[in-house]
Amino acid sequence: MATSLQISEFGNPNLEPLLAAEEIQRRIAEIGAEISRDYAGKNPLLIGVLKGACMFLSDLMRAIDLSLAVEFMAISSYGTGTRTSGEVRIIKDLDVAIEGRDILVVEDIVDTGLTLSYLLSNLESRGARSVKLVALLDKFERRLRDVPVDYLGFKIPDHFVVGYGLDFAERYRNLPYIAILKDPEI
Ligand code: IMP
Ligand code: MG
């Protein structure tokens, strides 16, 4: 863990390391292999949810040995706080039709599940052949809506986490590891 921690924010007393960069990469390689097997002969469309999933998506797509396509959507449910508002809005929609496509939604974290349950049913209503969810993190203790996570990186306890794409007020996305933000007020 020491090597990746020295890359950025090393010594920030407000960060408590949770998942090392190496651990994340190892798990992504496994998920990529699993998806490559499950979708053999298919041409899935990966939909990355901006901005949090950007780093996960860029590593995951390199771990999938298939012909695939990538699109992005942006959804808002959080504002700049650490608790969900419950209100979900599409900020950036897809540029393509997804009828008949096998969709893999790639998300950083499932927390209450409000964002994903809205997004998954929205995509299903557009006539996709299949819609599955890949999430790096699952904060299962806080779930309000049942969301099936088809491919999961890690289950984590109820803490606000940052790094590897995840932010607090737009900061910390660039960390190559994931850390608990001890006090969001600082
Ligand atoms: P949900 O609708 O409550 O499941 O919230 C999902 C979204 O909230 C995620 O896609 C993240 O953008 C954000 N989020 C939830 N928990 C965290 C966290 O611990 N750190 C950073 N962002 C989070
Ligand atoms: Mg997100």
Side-chain angles (χ1 to χ4, degrees):
M1 182 169 282
T3 46
S4 58
L5 278 178
Q6 281 158 16
I7 291 172
S8 47
E9 299 277 358
F10 180 65
N12 181 334
N14 201 16
L15 296 181
E16 184 186 321
L18 182 67
L19 296 167
E22 296 77 7
E23 211 177 328
I24 297 170
Q25 295 306 324
R26 232 180 293 128
R27 187 69 192 111
I28 290 175
E30 292 171 358
I31 296 173
E34 206 182 323
I35 291 173
S36 306
R37 278 195 303 274
D38 294 352
Y39 286 79
K42 293 184 174 150
N43 177 24
L45 174 63
L46 272 54
I47 300 180
V49 184
L50 294 171
K51 305 174 206 169
C54 63
M55 222 185 266
F56 179 40
L57 175 67
S58 70
D59 284 336
L60 179 68
M61 65 195 280
R62 282 177 280 189
I64 301 177
D65 188 14
L66 293 173
S67 152
L68 56 77
V70 174
E71 291 288 334
F72 292 97
M73 284 181 84
I75 308 285
S76 142
S77 72
Y78 246 59
T80 55
T82 59
R83 290 298 184 222
T84 189
S85 64
E87 182 199 332
V88 180
R89 274 185 310 140
I90 294 180
I91 306 289
K92 182 217 173 296
D93 208 339
L94 294 171
D95 302 319
V96 295
I98 58 167
E99 226 178 306
R101 299 296 305 265
D102 292 302
I103 305 298
L104 279 163
V105 175
V106 181
E107 177 62 306
D108 50 2
I109 185 166
V110 189
D111 184 17
T112 63
L114 290 169
T115 310
L116 265 308
S117 70
Y118 170 81
L119 182 59
L120 295 174
S121 57
N122 179 292
L123 293 174
E124 271 156 13
S125 74
R126 302 186 198 192
R129 180 159 65 181
S130 66
V131 180
K132 303 255 183 205
L133 173 62
V134 194
L136 180 64
L137 305 173
D138 183 359
K139 242 198 270 184
F140 58 99
E141 290 167 88
R142 288 187 18 94
R143 198 62 40 83
L144 297 175
R145 293 281 161 75
D146 191 30
V147 174
V149 185
D150 301 285
Y151 301 93
L152 175 66
F154 305 91
K155 274 193 192 273
I156 62 164
D158 180 15
H159 292 294
F160 195 81
V161 292
V162 295
Y164 198 72
L166 292 125
D167 74 308
F168 175 68
E170 297 303 324
R171 186 179 171 190
Y172 301 118
R173 291 193 198 276
N174 58 324
L175 306 186
Y177 58 94
I178 288 170
I180 294 167
L181 186 66
K182 290 199 269 190
D183 185 358
E185 302 303 316
I186 310 177

